[in-house]
Amino acid sequence: MNEFEALTVTLREFRDARDWQQFHTLRNLITSLNLEAAELLELTQWKSDAEVASLPADPTSREALSDECADILLYLLLIADTAGIDLAEAARAKLIKNGQKYPVEKFF
């Protein structure tokens, strides 16, 4: 079992213990992922590139950044689980597609 699969099992157990699956339609999960992505984006609002780059150095900002990244990952895992997508395999396949679309030779 890979890390994504193990985390998904733990996430399902967490969800099911609270009877939240009834709210986790594919549409609702996709919407929620985007709301969490907006919360991640909000951490950068009105900040310069230098300020954003320094977020991980500040403990409070790092925790907020970590929390939002985790929320996004958890929703993505639920989306993939609901849709029957193996995220690790999907990511590998996408890298192959991107390699064909953007070959190294094209950029030198």
Side-chain angles (χ1 to χ4, degrees):
M1 180 180 297
N2 70 37
E3 197 72 28
F4 286 147
E5 291 168 337
L7 191 52
T8 300
V9 168
T10 302
L11 182 55
R12 271 193 225 122
E13 290 169 354
F14 180 91
R15 175 201 64 198
D16 293 348
R18 290 155 181 79
D19 194 29
W20 288 350
Q21 187 172 6
Q22 61 183 317
F23 306 112
H24 288 179
T25 64
L26 188 56
R27 182 185 60 79
N28 285 346
L29 292 169
I30 291 169
T31 299
S32 295
L33 179 138
N34 281 279
L35 292 171
E36 293 300 337
E39 289 181 19
L40 179 64
L41 183 60
E42 187 178 23
L43 297 177
T44 70
Q45 189 176 23
W46 313 120
K47 291 182 173 58
S48 68
D49 286 346
E51 290 171 313
V52 171
S54 70
L55 288 174
D58 173 67
T60 302
S61 296
R62 183 178 182 83
E63 181 178 5
L65 186 61
S66 177
D67 285 349
E68 297 310 331
C69 287
D71 285 340
I72 291 165
L73 175 60
L74 294 172
Y75 275 117
L76 183 58
L77 289 172
L78 286 170
I79 290 166
D81 187 51
T82 300
I85 296 168
D86 178 328
L87 277 177
E89 180 54 36
R92 282 189 290 274
K94 184 62 176 177
L95 281 172
I96 290 168
K97 286 180 187 178
N98 285 347
Q100 294 166 346
K101 187 174 181 180
Y102 306 106
V104 173
E105 303 79 38
K106 204 174 182 181
F107 298 95
F108 291 99

